[in-house]
Amino acid sequence: MIIEDLPPCILINSYTSPWLRCYTDSEIDYKSPRFLSFGDLDCDYQPPTHIQETNALTWSAGPNPTSGVISVQTNETVVEMRLFNLTGQCLLSTTLSQEKRIDMSTFPSGLYWLQALDKQRRSLGVIKVILTP
Amino acid sequence: MKKILLPACLLLCCCSIFSQQEWAPIGARWVQNIGIDFDSIPVPNPLLDYYVVECTGDSMVNGLNFRKVGDYLMHQNGGKIYYWYGDSLNLVYDFEVEVGDTVNLNLLSCLGVVVTVPVKVDSVGAIVVSGQTLKRIVTTSIGPAPYWFYPDGIPTLKKLGDLTA
């Protein structure tokens, strides 16, 4: 399978890769180092502000997949864009210029999250972006 | 059926290093993290949600013994772990590998098609958890694209460990 063959379902599937919080059986009680790095939380922890986003996005970006530069179509409410890898690490934070283009060409190919923020730095939603070689 | 994305750049799995241990004893329970809360400002919260996968019992298909793990039937043959899909066994974990080996895993794409994903074994080591010494295998995907899917309901680890650490 090559990247161009990837179906659109990859864009709407689960938020990100799953990773282990805890494992238990009759002999083992285990929390992963990654989960412990957030503190001594219960395995079924959920953030208190957990909100399911239901509103339609007021912006879009394309082409997607892209080979490097992606253009953002939006109204003036979007003032900042942030790019994340699938682990949630922020790779890029930029104020939208008049061109409203984001250059991803310096990053390795793969899947990314693109987030828009308004001037109060509130999230206006995220989309998954495929960066091709 | 939900599919789970695996950016198979780093696979880390563990199993018993000294004995041919069951991969999934009945009652085994994995809690898998899923999702990132991007509305958490200024830093996204990577603990948005979770799901639970449990080993609930035994089954038999075509004369082979299986364990029910989540929505799937899992078969163990030595250190090789398979899931039943498309009327065939598909290798999802291999704990018999040595450093330098290449192993072809059979994972699901989001179209429900089994995709062969070659991974190279970078290291084989051990860790101690709850008094048990467990094998730790680190692999790197050498496939043409880093987009693979694990079948929903199959934990992303053998017994302990984190595939995406």
Side-chain angles (χ1 to χ4, degrees):
Chain A
M1 175 178 288
I2 58 176
I3 290 174
E4 286 73 15
D5 292 333
L6 288 172
C9 58
I10 200 169
L11 298 175
I12 59 175
N13 267 319
S14 56
Y15 255 132
T16 185
S17 312
W19 51 270
L20 177 69
R21 289 185 177 188
C22 306
Y23 171 85
T24 54
D25 63 22
S26 59
E27 298 178 340
I28 293 176
D29 187 6
Y30 176 80
K31 287 184 178 178
S32 71
R34 184 170 177 179
F35 187 55
L36 285 172
S37 70
F38 297 99
D40 188 17
L41 303 172
D42 292 336
C43 294
D44 57 356
Y45 166 84
Q46 282 186 304
T49 57
H50 181 201
I51 297 172
Q52 294 286 349
E53 186 165 337
T54 56
N55 295 331
L57 293 180
T58 58
W59 60 281
S60 61
N64 191 6
T66 178
S67 58
V69 176
I70 190 166
S71 298
V72 178
Q73 294 85 43
T74 179
N75 56 36
E76 60 277 5
T77 59
V78 175
V79 298
E80 181 180 346
M81 301 298 296
R82 301 197 299 181
L83 185 70
F84 299 90
N85 62 20
L86 287 181
T87 65
Q89 180 185 7
C90 186
L91 305 174
L92 180 74
S93 178
T94 182
T95 301
L96 280 187
S97 65
Q98 287 186 335
E99 292 189 8
K100 297 185 176 181
R101 290 154 58 93
I102 296 172
D103 187 358
M104 300 172 59
S105 59
T106 58
F107 299 112
S109 60
L111 291 172
Y112 296 88
W113 289 106
L114 186 63
Q115 180 186 39
L117 302 175
D118 65 13
K119 61 183 179 181
Q120 283 83 36
R121 302 204 75 221
R122 293 177 300 200
S123 175
L124 298 173
V126 294
I127 63 170
K128 190 181 284 185
V129 176
I130 299 176
L131 178 61
T132 60
Chain B
M1 179 174 60
K2 185 178 69 176
K3 306 298 191 301
I4 297 169
L5 172 67
L6 171 66
C9 54
L10 176 66
L11 306 182
L12 167 63
C13 311
C14 302
C15 67
S16 171
I17 196 170
F18 295 121
S19 62
Q20 200 59 70
Q21 196 175 49
E22 284 181 301
W23 174 72
I26 293 175
R29 186 175 189 268
W30 292 261
V31 180
Q32 300 280 121
N33 190 81
I34 188 79
I36 298 173
D37 182 7
F38 286 99
D39 291 332
S40 175
I41 301 291
V43 180
N45 183 348
L47 302 177
L48 176 63
D49 207 349
Y50 68 92
Y51 66 94
V52 176
V53 179
E54 292 183 284
C55 180
T56 56
D58 292 316
S59 185
M60 182 169 282
V61 177
N62 292 350
L64 289 175
N65 293 317
F66 287 86
R67 279 280 158 84
K68 298 175 183 174
V69 177
D71 297 331
Y72 283 81
L73 297 176
M74 309 294 294
H75 174 71
Q76 178 173 1
N77 185 356
K80 298 180 188 297
I81 313 297
Y82 304 83
Y83 65 99
W84 184 256
Y85 185 84
D87 290 330
S88 63
L89 292 175
N90 298 281
L91 182 67
V92 66
Y93 301 118
D94 188 344
F95 299 99
E96 298 176 342
V97 294
E98 304 289 343
V99 174
D101 286 353
T102 297
V103 58
N104 291 319
L105 304 179
N106 293 324
L107 307 181
L108 281 176
S109 76
C110 59
L111 287 178
V113 177
V114 174
V115 178
T116 298
V117 180
V119 297
K120 184 174 179 293
V121 179
D122 296 326
S123 69
V124 177
I127 59 173
V128 177
V129 178
S130 298
Q132 294 194 27
T133 303
L134 305 173
K135 182 182 283 186
R136 180 179 185 271
I137 300 171
V138 177
T139 65
T140 303
S141 171
I142 54 176
Y147 312 124
W148 320 119
F149 291 85
Y150 263 73
D152 186 30
I154 294 179
T156 55
L157 52 124
K158 182 269 175 186
K159 185 162 186 174
L160 299 173
D162 187 343
L163 286 168
T164 58

